[in-house]
């Protein structure tokens, strides 16, 4: 049974940092990604990585502030978020699968339940 377990969300002040973790179990994946969603808005791509090559790919909101990394031994992907802004407030979802395009939802067959990140001003 495939499961994606997210952890690490919480409340942080603007300028602070958080690390999100996504532990995948049940199989390995060609790509694992983070998306985020604000209530009433579209789910937005944040970052993705191909664990086999450790190749990262970032969305515009993440560039320069967030880092995605994988621990293949633990089948876990981390999202290190620095210099957080209030506009980073969202539910962050881990997704896994074999997408052709890393930045789109298509191809990510498995999703976690989400973890809330709140950045106060």
């Amino acid at each position: 049974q495939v499961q994606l377990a997210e952890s690490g969300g919480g409340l942080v002040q603007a300028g602070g940092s958080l690390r999100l973790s996504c532990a995948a179990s049940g199989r390995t994946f060609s790509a694992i990604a983070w998306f985020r969603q604000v209530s009433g808005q579209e789910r937005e791509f944040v970052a993705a990585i191909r664990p086999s090559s450790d190749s990262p790919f970032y969305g515009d909101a993440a560039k320069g502030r967030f880092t995605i990394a994988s621990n293949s031994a633990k089948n876990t992907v981390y999202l290190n978020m620095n210099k957080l802004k209030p506009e980073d407030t969202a539910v962050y979802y881990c997704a896994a699968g074999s997408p052709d395009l890393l930045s789109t939802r298509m191809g990510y067959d498995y999703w976690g339940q989400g973890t809330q990140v709140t950045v106060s001003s």
Side-chain angles (χ1 to χ4, degrees):
Q1 182 180 0
V2 173
Q3 286 189 326
L4 301 178
E6 301 135 328
S7 61
L11 173 64
V12 65
Q13 288 188 332
S17 300
L18 280 175
R19 187 175 81 160
L20 305 182
S21 300
C22 174
S25 60
R27 53 164 287 189
T28 57
F29 302 94
S30 65
I32 299 178
W34 288 96
F35 288 77
R36 67 186 185 185
Q37 188 169 24
V38 176
S39 180
Q41 297 184 17
E42 292 288 320
R43 197 164 291 190
E44 176 188 24
F45 171 75
V46 177
I49 193 165
R50 295 195 183 278
S52 61
S53 61
D54 258 352
S55 301
F57 182 71
Y58 296 99
D60 289 341
K63 291 178 181 176
R65 298 187 300 127
F66 297 178
T67 303
I68 190 168
S70 67
N71 182 328
S72 58
K74 297 181 179 179
N75 213 21
T76 300
V77 168
Y78 305 96
L79 183 68
N80 295 296
M81 304 187 294
N82 299 310
K83 300 178 182 178
L84 283 162
K85 306 174 183 179
E87 50 264 45
D88 293 318
T89 296
V91 177
Y92 284 70
Y93 295 92
C94 177
S98 302
D100 291 330
L101 295 176
L102 293 175
S103 60
T104 63
R105 296 178 62 176
M106 187 177 298
Y108 289 104
D109 299 318
Y110 301 94
W111 292 81
Q113 292 189 332
T115 184
Q116 177 70 46
V117 171
T118 303
V119 184
S120 63
S121 58

